[in-house]
Amino acid sequence: MIFSRLQKLRAQFDLLGIDAFLVTFQPHVRYLSGFSGSSGIGLLTKRSTYLITDGRYAQQIRHEVKGWKVFVTDQSLFDVLRRQNLLRHGWRIGFDGNTVTYNRLKELKKSFPRVKFHPKVDCIEQLAAIKDQHEIAKIKKAVAITDRVFLEILDLIKPGVRELDIAAEISYRQRKHGAEADAFETIVASGERSAFPHGRASAKKLSMGEIVTLDFGCVVEGYHSDMTRTLALGRPTAEVKKIYKVVLDAQQRAIDSARSGIKTKELDAVARCYIKEQGYEKYYRHSLGHGIGLQLHEPPRLSVLSKATLESGNVVTIEPGVYIPNIGGVRIEDDVVITNGSCLVLNQSSKEFIIL
Ligand code: ZN
Ligand code: ZN
C-alpha cells in the first residue's frame, strides 16, 4: 500500500524534473511512510527512502514505519541530510511549495549550495485524493462517531445553553467514542450568528426561536470527518423553512449528480444554479465542498474555480448553504465517496428540519 504510493510519486520524477523529493509536511510524511509523529522529514530518491525524526519518536517510528531507512537525531532534522550526505551535488530536489516556509528554503539553499530546490504543488495531494479501502474505512469510522455524537447532543440543545458548552460536549463525546481529536474547531452558530458561515462557538446562549448550525467532525487514525446540520429551537418562520428546503434540495441535487467523470465545477453549478433559481444566489458565497482525508481540506475542491474531475475513490464533502443577514443561515453537509456512476453518502444523520 505505502510502497505503491512511493512508486506513484517516483513515477512523476521525470515529468517534475527532479531527482528526489523532500517531504516536510506532516500529513505528507504520514501518507508516504505511515509515521504519525509531529516531527519528521522524509527524503524519497529514485532508489531509497530516508526518514528523520527526533529522540521523542525513536520507539514510535520503528513501530509505525517499514521499509524506510530511519535516522533519529538530537539535533536539527535537516542537519542529518547534510551529515549523511543525502542530497547529492547537482541533484534537483522537489519540495512542497505550499508548506515549506521562505526561511526554511533559505536555510536549505545555504546548507546545500550545489543542490537545486524546485517547489512543487499538490503532488502528494493528487495521489492522496484517491482513497483505498483502508482509508475509506477510517473515514467511515470517523463519520460514524460524528453521526453518533450528533444524535446524543440533540438533548442538550435548549434555551440558556451556551454555544461553547455544546462545542465542549461534542469534543468530549467524539473522543469518548474513539476519535483521537476534533477535525477542527467546532462551529456552533445560533440565531443571527448562524448567518456567519464559519461562526465558531461563542459564549452566546441559545434562545427560543433561533436557528442553530452545528459543523463538526473528528479524526480517526489521521482521517477526518466533517458534517453540518442546521436545526431550529422552537417553530421556525416560513422564510426559514423555505431556506432550509432550498438548501436541502440543492444538496440532494448535488449528491444525485456526484459521480466519477463529472467536473467539480459542474457539480458546484448543480447546487448553485438551483439556489439561483430559487432567488438566493447572493446569499450562497462559498464553494460546494472539498476533499477530506489526512487533511481536512484537500483536493479535489468542488468550486467554480476548480479544474478537477471527480474520480472513483475521491472522498468529498457536499455542503451548500444560504446565509441571510439578520435572519440566519442554513448549511447541510455530508461526506461522500465517489464511485463509478454515483456516490455513497457516508453520514446517516437525519436531514429533516429538526425542530426542538
Ligand atoms: Zn464542515
Ligand atoms: Zn467542510
Side-chain angles (χ1 to χ4, degrees), residues 40-188:
I41 58 171
L43 179 72
L44 178 66
T45 70
K46 285 179 179 157
R47 275 174 211 89
S48 307
T49 42
Y50 306 97
L51 197 56
I52 308 162
T53 188
D54 67 57
R56 292 172 298 166
Y57 294 108
Q59 296 298 320
Q60 183 180 331
I61 201 165
R62 293 203 168 93
H63 180 71
E64 290 180 339
V65 176
K66 304 271 173 298
W68 288 63
K69 179 155 178 39
V70 169
F71 298 97
V72 178
T73 180
D74 295 325
Q75 289 157 21
S76 150
L77 304 187
F78 289 88
D79 209 39
V80 176
L81 296 172
R82 192 181 50 76
R83 276 188 282 122
Q84 299 290 333
N85 191 27
L86 297 182
L87 306 186
R88 303 297 162 80
H89 290 175
W91 270 9
R92 299 158 300 169
I93 308 292
F95 67 91
D96 183 56
N98 282 331
T99 53
V100 169
T101 63
Y102 174 70
N103 278 350
R104 172 67 70 205
L105 181 61
K106 243 178 21 182
E107 283 166 30
L108 279 168
K109 282 181 171 170
K110 206 168 134 195
S111 307
F112 302 96
R114 291 197 232 174
V115 166
K116 282 250 180 307
F117 291 95
H118 297 267
K120 302 290 169 190
V121 168
D122 280 354
C123 298
I124 296 162
E125 275 81 0
Q126 294 304 342
L127 299 180
I130 312 264
K131 271 74 184 172
D132 63 33
Q133 288 310 314
H134 303 281
E135 296 180 285
I136 290 171
K138 289 170 189 171
I139 296 172
K140 279 183 174 168
K141 266 193 208 167
V143 169
I145 292 170
T146 297
D147 276 337
R148 184 174 170 188
V149 169
F150 176 68
L151 253 192
E152 285 184 14
I153 53 128
L154 286 178
D155 284 346
L156 307 170
I157 298 179
K158 45 183 114 177
V161 177
R162 296 182 319 150
E163 292 172 354
L164 278 169
D165 296 327
I166 296 168
E169 285 287 343
I170 287 173
S171 187
Y172 170 72
R173 285 161 193 256
Q174 289 195 135
R175 286 182 197 213
K176 270 285 212 194
H177 296 320
E180 62 206 33
D182 291 342
F184 52 93
E185 201 177 331
T186 292
I187 290 170
V188 182

Side-chain angles (χ1 to χ4, degrees), residues 184 198 215 226-228 289-290 292 296-297 317 319 333 335:
F184 52 93
H198 271 190
D215 185 352
D226 181 6
M227 177 178 86
T228 308
H290 51 90
I292 52 170
L296 174 65
H297 296 115
T317 69
E319 49 177 309
E333 175 181 27
D335 303 334

Side-chain angles (χ1 to χ4, degrees), residues 205-250:
K205 288 180 178 166
L206 310 189
S207 314
M208 217 48 191
E210 287 184 337
I211 315 179
V212 185
T213 298
L214 303 167
D215 185 352
F216 63 100
C218 67
V219 183
V220 170
E221 293 179 67
Y223 287 83
H224 294 72
S225 62
D226 181 6
M227 177 178 86
T228 308
R229 289 293 182 270
T230 301
L231 38 88
L233 264 181
R235 210 135 62 93
T237 62
E239 167 133 51
V240 167
K241 275 198 207 157
K242 175 156 187 236
I243 300 168
Y244 193 92
K245 177 126 182 33
V246 168
V247 173
L248 181 60
D249 289 348

